[in-house]
Amino acid sequence: MSSREWKLAGAPISWGVCEVPGWGPMLPPDRVLGEMAGLGLTATELGPDGYLPADPAALRELLDRHGLSLVAGFVPAVLHEDDRTAGLDDVRRQAEVLAGLGAEQMLFAPVVDLEWTLPSGLDQRGWDNLAAGLGEAGEIARAAGIGSCVHPHLGSLVETAGDIRELSALTEVEWCFDTAHLMIGGVDQVEFARENADRIRHVHLKDVDAAKAARMARRELTHLEAAAEEAFLPLGRGDAPVTEIIEALTAAGYDGWMVLEQDTSLDGPELPEGEGPVNDVRASLEFIRALDRAREEAA
């Protein structure tokens, strides 16, 4: 499959726009979406709750102005408690926004709370609640006309290879495949891509420095600290086996979106438009194009 057939999208987090409290300053939406479109991307994820307009008409006008469609939204959700009413109400609200703009997927990150308190592990009742809560959240998404999947993520309740096994034993979960966060969680990404090909519904292509990934896994470095130390890198400049992952997904027939992501935290003076984060995203696009050229030459 040529990259011309890969459905590539951008994500606001590559421009420092993140839902984690205290992450840092956020560039304005018009700049982020304008630079995204200027790279030739035609689609984006939603970004943090409240970053883009909640009103569907206003959001549609903003996306149309930049020639972008909306493909998915990352949704931190509290779904492991006995009373999940508040978490499910939040899922329902965000599902309506995403569905109204034609998005295909909700990406659930089950969290302890919306302040991203670090998890201390779930007991069996917590795992049972989470499996049930994800099922209920998935039903809400389906009722709105969109799909849903779980995004294993640093600092969430589904973070490590062990967490993935626990959840998989309770429910036939579908996945958002994030090349860096799975690496941080101690998952063999290529094996995961091959073994779960029929359950992968969305992909985040992201690279990461292996030594810093190990420090994050040991809680020696927070997600924010790691981003500030540039642990997350343009594709091909870190240690995630991105090429092998893409080959495994392609061989398995994956035809969903591949979102270029780089967890970036901005600090210091704002750089002029056309400088800063956009250059890293451009480098990731060039990596994909070089991979495409190599595949064509080998064909």
Side-chain angles (χ1 to χ4, degrees):
M1 180 184 291
S2 164
S3 67
R4 286 184 292 273
E5 298 174 70
W6 293 334
K7 298 192 295 187
L8 299 176
I13 195 171
S14 298
W15 277 262
V17 179
C18 182
E19 62 286 318
V20 175
W23 190 264
M26 298 186 189
L27 295 174
D30 267 316
R31 172 170 173 177
V32 171
L33 300 180
E35 290 185 348
M36 201 180 289
L39 293 173
L41 295 171
T42 60
T44 182
E45 288 191 359
L46 185 62
D49 190 20
Y51 175 66
L52 296 180
D55 176 68
L59 181 52
R60 171 63 68 193
E61 189 278 329
L62 175 61
L63 293 172
D64 286 350
R65 189 161 70 243
H66 295 288
L68 296 170
S69 62
L70 183 67
V71 299
F74 178 75
V75 181
V78 181
L79 300 172
H80 64 291
E81 297 176 343
D82 291 341
D83 183 357
R84 298 182 286 278
T85 303
L88 293 171
D89 284 346
D90 191 41
V91 167
R92 188 173 292 105
R93 177 180 57 81
Q94 295 197 56
E96 291 173 357
V97 173
L98 289 164
L101 274 295
E104 297 180 14
Q105 293 287 338
M106 296 187 77
L107 318 176
F108 295 129
V111 290
V112 172
D113 53 46
L114 296 182
E115 296 301 312
W116 283 80
T117 298
L118 288 176
S120 57
L122 292 175
D123 58 17
Q124 190 58 53
R125 181 169 182 168
W127 280 114
D128 290 342
N129 280 345
L130 180 56
L134 286 168
E136 292 159 355
E139 287 295 333
I140 290 170
R142 279 189 289 276
I146 56 178
S148 64
C149 50
V150 176
H151 184 327
H153 196 287
L154 176 69
S156 78
L157 291 168
V158 184
E159 175 180 10
T160 67
D163 296 334
I164 289 171
R165 286 193 297 271
E166 289 279 0
L167 187 60
S168 297
L170 295 170
T171 181
E172 293 186 354
V173 67
E174 296 183 325
W175 300 108
C176 170
F177 185 111
D178 186 299
T179 54
H181 283 279
L182 286 176
M183 181 175 178
I184 296 166
V187 176
D188 183 320
Q189 305 101 296
V190 177
E191 181 180 356
F192 187 91
R194 291 171 178 158
E195 292 185 352
N196 296 277
D198 60 338
R199 295 187 184 178
I200 294 171
R201 296 291 174 260
H202 199 71
V203 172
H204 287 166
L205 293 178
K206 179 185 304 182
D207 215 338
V208 64
D209 176 277
K212 292 176 181 176
R215 292 180 63 201
M216 283 184 270
R218 295 193 298 266
R219 301 287 195 245
E220 297 171 1
L221 199 63
T222 69
H223 190 188
L224 175 55
E225 290 166 345
E229 291 187 17
E230 299 182 351
F232 300 95
L233 300 160
L235 299 179
R237 297 185 186 176
D239 299 300
V242 178
T243 298
E244 292 85 350
I245 290 167
I246 292 174
E247 289 174 348
L249 290 169
T250 300
Y254 177 77
D255 60 359
W257 286 95
M258 293 187 177
V259 181
L260 304 177
E261 272 203 343
Q262 186 175 333
D263 294 5
T264 300
S265 175
L266 301 179
D267 190 18
E270 183 175 316
L271 294 170
E273 290 192 27
E275 298 184 25
V278 66
N279 290 323
D280 279 354
V281 182
R282 181 180 291 110
S284 289
L285 271 172
E286 290 172 352
F287 174 88
I288 294 293
R289 290 168 182 152
L291 178 60
D292 180 40
R293 289 193 297 271
R295 289 172 59 81
E296 288 183 346
E297 291 169 1

